[in-house]
Amino acid sequence: MRGLLRGSLLWMSLLMAGCLSPERVSVCDVSPASWEERVQVTYTNRDTTAVAELRVVLRLADRCATDSLTLRITTFSPDSLRASEYHRLQFPPKRVAAPLHRVVEVPYRRGVQLKRAGEYRFALTPTHPIEGVEAVGMKIITES
C-alpha cells in the first residue's frame, strides 16, 4: 500500500510540474473612455538563459472601433539600462457580438533573451488617445 501511495504521489507531482505554464502575463487597467497615459508593467526574470517571445496584450471594449494602434514601448532592465521604440500594433476588427470583452495578443519581439536576473519594467504609452481599451500589458512566453 505504501509503495502504491508513493508511486501515486510521484505521478501527481510530475503531472503538476507538466502543467506549469511557460507564459507570464502582467496587465494594468486603463480608462476605457480614453487611454492616453503611460502604463507600466513588471516582469521578474529568474532564468537568464531562456529564450522568450514578447506579446502586447489588450482587452478591448465593444466601442473600440480601431484595428491598429501605435505604442511607445520603453524597456527598463534590472541594471538600469533603458531602450525605447515605437511599435505599430495591427489587430483584427471585431466581427460578431460576444458576451465577453475581446482580448487581443499582438507579437512584439521573438527570440528575446533577458540576460539579467531581476525586474524588467515595460512602459506602454499610446501615441494618441484611444477609446475602448480597458487593459494593456505584456505577455512573456518562454520557449522550452
Side-chain angles (χ1 to χ4, degrees), residues 69-90:
L69 169 65
T70 301
L71 294 179
R72 179 178 181 164
I73 301 175
T74 305
T75 304
F76 301 90
S77 68
D79 58 355
S80 300
L81 294 178
R82 176 170 74 179
S84 188
E85 66 181 332
Y86 290 95
H87 187 71
R88 185 162 182 82
L89 308 177
Q90 295 280 145

Side-chain angles (χ1 to χ4, degrees), residues 4-139:
L4 180 61
L5 181 59
R6 261 191 216 146
S8 296
L9 289 174
L10 175 65
W11 278 107
M12 285 177 32
S13 298
L14 290 173
L15 286 173
M16 289 175 66
C19 293
L20 294 175
S21 176
E23 300 179 0
R24 297 206 31 208
V25 181
S26 182
V27 179
C28 287
D29 290 331
V30 297
S31 171
S34 179
W35 174 40
E36 55 190 270
E37 299 295 321
R38 177 175 105 159
V39 169
Q40 186 167 288
V41 294
T42 304
Y43 171 73
T44 302
N45 185 44
R46 291 182 182 88
D47 187 353
T48 59
T49 62
V51 176
E53 177 181 349
L54 306 179
R55 295 181 182 180
V56 176
V57 178
L58 302 164
R59 185 176 68 221
L60 306 175
D62 290 338
R63 66 183 169 280
C64 184
T66 187
D67 63 351
S68 65
L69 169 65
T70 301
L71 294 179
R72 179 178 181 164
I73 301 175
T74 305
T75 304
F76 301 90
S77 68
D79 58 355
S80 300
L81 294 178
R82 176 170 74 179
S84 188
E85 66 181 332
Y86 290 95
H87 187 71
R88 185 162 182 82
L89 308 177
Q90 295 280 145
F91 43 90
K94 185 175 181 180
R95 300 192 192 287
V96 295
L100 301 175
H101 295 285
R102 187 167 54 134
V103 175
V104 176
E105 291 181 22
V106 182
Y108 170 54
R109 290 276 177 248
R110 291 188 175 109
V112 174
Q113 185 178 10
L114 303 175
K115 295 184 179 185
R116 302 270 186 215
E119 285 192 354
Y120 281 82
R121 293 176 292 134
F122 299 94
L124 309 164
T125 312
T127 56
H128 63 278
I130 183 164
E131 182 181 340
V133 175
E134 294 181 337
V136 63
M138 190 68 72
K139 181 176 191 175

